[in-house]
Amino acid sequence: MENQAQTGQDLSQLKSMFADYQKKQSQSTTRKSREDILAKYFVPRNSKEVFRILPPKPGKKHIEEAFFHVLTTNAAGGKKKHGTVIYCPAHNDPKVPKLGADGKPVVDDQGAPLLVPAPCPACAEYKRLIKQQDPSIKGIKKENMTDEQKKIKAKNDEIWNEARKWQAKKFYIVRGIDKGSEKDGVKFWRFKHNYKNQGTLDKLLPILEDYMTSQQADFSDPVNGTDLTIIMTDAEFNNHVYKQISAITARGKSPLHGDPTVMRAWLDDDVSWRDVFKPKAAPNITPYEYLEMCVAGTTPYWEDTDQNNKHWVFPGRPDLEEKANTRTMNLDSNDEEFEQASDLEEQQTTPRVTINNITETKVGEFEDDASDIGKEAIKETTSTQVVEESNDDLDDNYDDSDSDNEPDGDGSDYDDLPF
Ligand SMILES: [Zn+2]
């Protein structure tokens, strides 16, 4: 028995090796274009959409949680682009060893390295601002405050309004098939958490639970699961029309696809949200540096306003700008994919490799479950934080439909893609 189990495991490893090589083959022959990646985003936009949630891969959930910053970046024509969704390393990457002032890993009593969230300049900025709040009024109800304390509160609220722009936001990601565009294969539906419980998740969960209860089946089951109909409606906010989910319904038990070959291909596809919602970078800079530039307001952008003079712009960094615009020799190469020996790949997911020259002071402290007053402020302000979050230029992969305060863009703007 043991031998059999052993063999089974070995084969599954081999199987994944073949799959891995196959994946790499297809990657090297056809570099994923912007369009290819976009085809992996499921963004409900038509008045009626049909989506089928796929069963999760082993160890994964039906609905995954991930964190992204929603920031303002620079765009062509000297414009600002609001609502750019950017991968947060602190909340999405494996933890890394904490470095002491000497640059060496800090260890605990047992000599094991202390682990902290991966450095993220945007999270650090959030933390830095939050720390400026005056904690003296913590726990005091507004109606019991003196005039002086109310002034402090007003100031704290002001700080909070600035700080929360830098806070990583929780998103949900569902893996599935866009039945209106089956040729695109597996897609990812990403939508933002809504603190008012009025988001996409809040519309979706009751439907899924009801299906499970009434059908005694997993909604994502390839045989007994169900397609979902998503009805979209136009809503208006700040003179912008945007798409909002009006209803989600389960269509009833149906196979994932009539053709077993197609069904198998979808079920076997290993693409994950991490392949699609990648960290954002630009030529010759790392995602970390990109986030630093977000905080500094100097994000680089592709200037394509003039058809005859398309080029990269790096505000305040002529060196990087020149470098980015002179890589004529190898325009087709993919700068983002720096390949390394296969025996290194595993190590890449461990912290040591990624942290090298980032010191504690550079990063700032990051407490996982900080009980700072920022959180108090979340509770206090969620019911009123309506207008500030409005964006008139939201990108499409950013599902704003789950909030009545985040109008959609016109659907043509995909500038937050990692290219
Ligand atoms: Zn972050």
Side-chain angles (χ1 to χ4, degrees):
M1 280 303 280
E2 210 166 84
N3 267 348
Q4 260 180 5
Q6 190 62 45
T7 310
Q9 194 181 7
D10 285 347
L11 279 184
S12 81
Q13 275 170 3
L14 258 185
K15 199 179 152 195
S16 84
M17 184 198 80
F18 284 123
D20 205 32
Y21 269 100
Q22 216 158 32
K23 200 171 159 189
K24 280 183 182 165
Q25 288 289 55
S26 62
Q27 273 171 356
S28 58
T29 48
T30 54
R31 179 188 166 194
K32 264 202 171 63
S33 72
R34 196 177 165 91
E35 284 70 29
D36 292 336
I37 295 260
L38 280 184
K40 294 286 162 199
Y41 288 69
F42 173 68
V43 183
R45 194 182 300 122
N46 301 315
S47 54
K48 185 177 138 190
E49 302 272 4
V50 180
F51 191 74
R52 174 69 170 238
I53 300 177
L54 284 168
K57 290 283 170 181
K60 305 280 197 253
K61 295 176 178 172
H62 288 86
I63 302 172
E64 298 224 77
E65 294 172 17
F67 291 80
F68 300 87
H69 292 281
V70 183
L71 303 177
T72 298
T73 50
N74 297 315
K79 291 182 184 158
K80 296 283 177 196
K81 183 179 183 307
H82 302 293
T84 308
V85 182
I86 303 171
Y87 179 95
C88 170
H91 288 84
N92 295 321
D93 281 357
K95 290 194 173 183
V96 300
K98 185 185 172 92
L99 298 185
D102 56 359
K104 288 181 182 156
V106 179
V107 294
D108 66 14
D109 301 343
Q110 267 77 47
L114 284 178
L115 296 179
V116 291
C120 171
C123 284
E125 179 66 1
Y126 167 70
K127 187 101 186 175
R128 186 186 72 78
L129 290 166
I130 279 298
K131 274 188 176 163
Q132 294 175 2
Q133 287 186 320
D134 184 337
S136 67
I137 57 164
K138 197 178 172 182
I140 304 173
K141 285 187 178 159
K142 199 180 175 185
E143 55 265 34
N144 300 331
M145 284 180 185
T146 64
D147 285 351
E148 194 54 37
Q149 286 171 326
K150 279 180 186 156
K151 270 184 213 158
I152 295 175
K153 188 187 182 302
K155 181 70 186 158
N156 280 356
D157 288 351
E158 209 177 285
I159 293 170
W160 164 244
N161 272 328
E162 183 56 30
R164 68 190 178 85
K165 293 177 192 162
W166 301 104
Q167 189 183 31
K169 313 289 183 204
K170 185 195 276 188
F171 283 76
Y172 300 101
I173 301 172
V174 184
R175 204 169 168 274
I177 300 296
D178 177 356
K179 289 298 185 87
S181 190
E182 294 185 348
K183 64 172 173 40
D184 294 333
V186 179
K187 288 198 185 197
F188 296 87
W189 182 14
R190 175 172 68 174
F191 44 86
K192 205 175 168 194
H193 173 72
N194 183 291
Y195 281 98
K196 286 175 275 179
N197 298 328
Q198 293 166 5
T200 299
L201 187 75
D202 307 291
K203 294 188 175 97
L204 187 58
L205 281 184
I207 304 304
L208 300 180
E209 193 181 7
D210 181 62
Y211 185 83
M212 179 190 72
T213 313
S214 62
Q215 303 297 314
Q216 288 297 303
D218 180 343
F219 53 83
S220 72
D221 188 271
V223 178
N224 295 315
T226 178
D227 289 357
L228 300 168
T229 302
I230 305 162
I231 305 293
M232 303 299 291
T233 168
D234 285 340
E236 209 184 314
F237 183 81
N238 267 2
N239 298 322
H240 287 274
V241 176
Y242 63 101
K243 295 290 179 189
Q244 198 178 38
I245 292 177
S246 96
I248 302 175
T249 52
R251 305 188 100 192
K253 195 175 283 189
S254 72
L256 173 57
H257 195 275
D259 181 344
T261 320
V262 175
M263 187 146 102
R264 192 32 54 202
W266 287 344
L267 291 170
D268 286 348
D269 194 331
D270 280 326
V271 66
S272 88
W273 69 262
R274 289 178 184 274
D275 299 320
V276 175
F277 305 127
K278 288 182 171 179
K280 198 163 164 59
N284 308 305
I285 62 165
T286 63
Y288 181 89
E289 287 167 325
Y290 188 90
L291 277 162
E292 279 185 319
M293 291 172 174
C294 286
V295 174
T298 57
T299 48
Y301 58 94
W302 180 242
E303 180 55 81
D304 58 0
T305 323
D306 179 356
Q307 283 295 315
N308 300 316
N309 184 25
K310 295 185 181 181
H311 62 283
W312 277 99
V313 176
F314 280 71
R317 289 298 300 272
D319 54 329
L320 286 172
E321 185 163 313
E322 193 186 336
K323 209 171 165 192
N325 291 319
T326 47
R327 44 169 204 159
T328 47
M329 291 295 287
N330 207 6
L331 269 180
D332 289 332
S333 80
N334 191 344
D335 287 344
E336 288 148 34
E337 280 172 31
F338 179 77
E339 280 198 281
Q340 286 186 287
S342 60
D343 60 350
L344 266 183
E345 280 183 359
E346 223 163 273
Q347 288 179 36
Q348 282 179 336
T349 61
T350 69
R352 233 153 295 156
V353 182
T354 53
I355 184 106
N356 280 340
N357 49 13
I358 296 158
T359 64
E360 195 188 11
T361 44
K362 193 172 170 190
V363 169
E365 215 179 304
F366 188 97
E367 288 160 40
D368 225 359
D369 23 319
S371 58
D372 57 35
I373 43 182
K375 289 214 171 146
E376 298 291 316
I378 290 177
K379 284 180 210 136
E380 275 177 36
T381 51
T382 39
S383 56
T384 51
Q385 56 183 255
V386 175
V387 182
E388 290 87 342
E389 286 203 13
S390 67
N391 285 310
D392 54 9
D393 191 18
L394 285 178
D395 57 19
D396 246 342
N397 54 60
Y398 174 44
D399 181 356
D400 25 84
S401 56
D402 57 353
S403 164
D404 54 8
N405 50 31
E406 294 161 336
D408 203 354
D410 62 5
S412 61
D413 197 350
Y414 285 109
D415 277 344
D416 83 321
L417 280 174
F419 300 113

